[in-house]
Amino acid sequence: QVQMVESGGGLVQAGGSLRLSCAASGRTLSMYAAGWFRQAPGKELELVTAISRNGGSTYYADSVKGRFTISRDNAKNTMYLQMNSLKPEDTAVYYCGSYWSASLYGIATNSTAYTYWGQGTQVTVSS
């Protein structure tokens, strides 16, 4: 079992920045690929960005490319999401998720592949 806890959400003006953290416990995060998802009111859960076990591969949704950066520190069992140039449409509950991966560089883009989830953190961007 992997327990995941997000932090760092909040209210920010458009154009501002936030850094989310996802701390994992229970197992070493280095054996798990991980990602950040978000869900806005009335919308489906969407994958924002994901990172492979070793950090060597990343995926970004088109809507956040060039603005968001995912990273991980396996020694600290923590994953991060740096969000810059935030827009009102980025407003959502952000969730971190992970799954055990045999591949060092593999990334799953379907939420059904992710086994462990955090409780979510609210990000609100005002215009």
Side-chain angles (χ1 to χ4, degrees), residues 5 7 14 29 36 39 46 48 61 78 84 86 91-92 111 122 127:
V5 179
S7 60
L29 194 60
W36 289 96
Q39 188 166 27
E46 67 167 330
V48 176
T78 303
N84 298 329
L86 281 161
T91 295
S111 64
Q122 177 70 46
S127 57

Side-chain angles (χ1 to χ4, degrees), residues 74-87:
N74 286 340
K76 295 183 178 180
N77 257 19
T78 303
M79 177 176 65
Y80 305 97
L81 179 60
Q82 178 67 43
M83 303 186 293
N84 298 329
S85 302
L86 281 161
K87 304 175 181 180

Side-chain angles (χ1 to χ4, degrees), residues 21-112:
S21 297
C22 176
S25 62
R27 297 288 175 89
T28 175
L29 194 60
S30 63
M31 297 302 294
Y32 296 79
W36 289 96
F37 292 75
R38 67 186 180 188
Q39 188 166 27
K43 294 190 176 181
E44 293 186 352
L45 187 69
E46 67 167 330
L47 176 63
V48 176
T49 178
I51 190 166
S52 61
R53 276 178 52 188
N54 64 356
S57 299
T58 56
Y59 164 87
Y60 293 94
D62 288 342
S63 58
V64 305
K65 281 181 181 176
R67 299 188 299 122
F68 290 12
T69 303
I70 190 171
S71 61
R72 63 191 296 162
D73 185 340
N74 286 340
K76 295 183 178 180
N77 257 19
T78 303
M79 177 176 65
Y80 305 97
L81 179 60
Q82 178 67 43
M83 303 186 293
N84 298 329
S85 302
L86 281 161
K87 304 175 181 180
E89 51 263 44
D90 294 318
T91 295
V93 177
Y94 284 70
Y95 300 90
C96 61
S98 68
Y99 65 96
W100 185 89
S101 177
S103 169
L104 288 174
Y105 291 94
I107 293 176
T109 57
N110 193 314
S111 64
T112 59

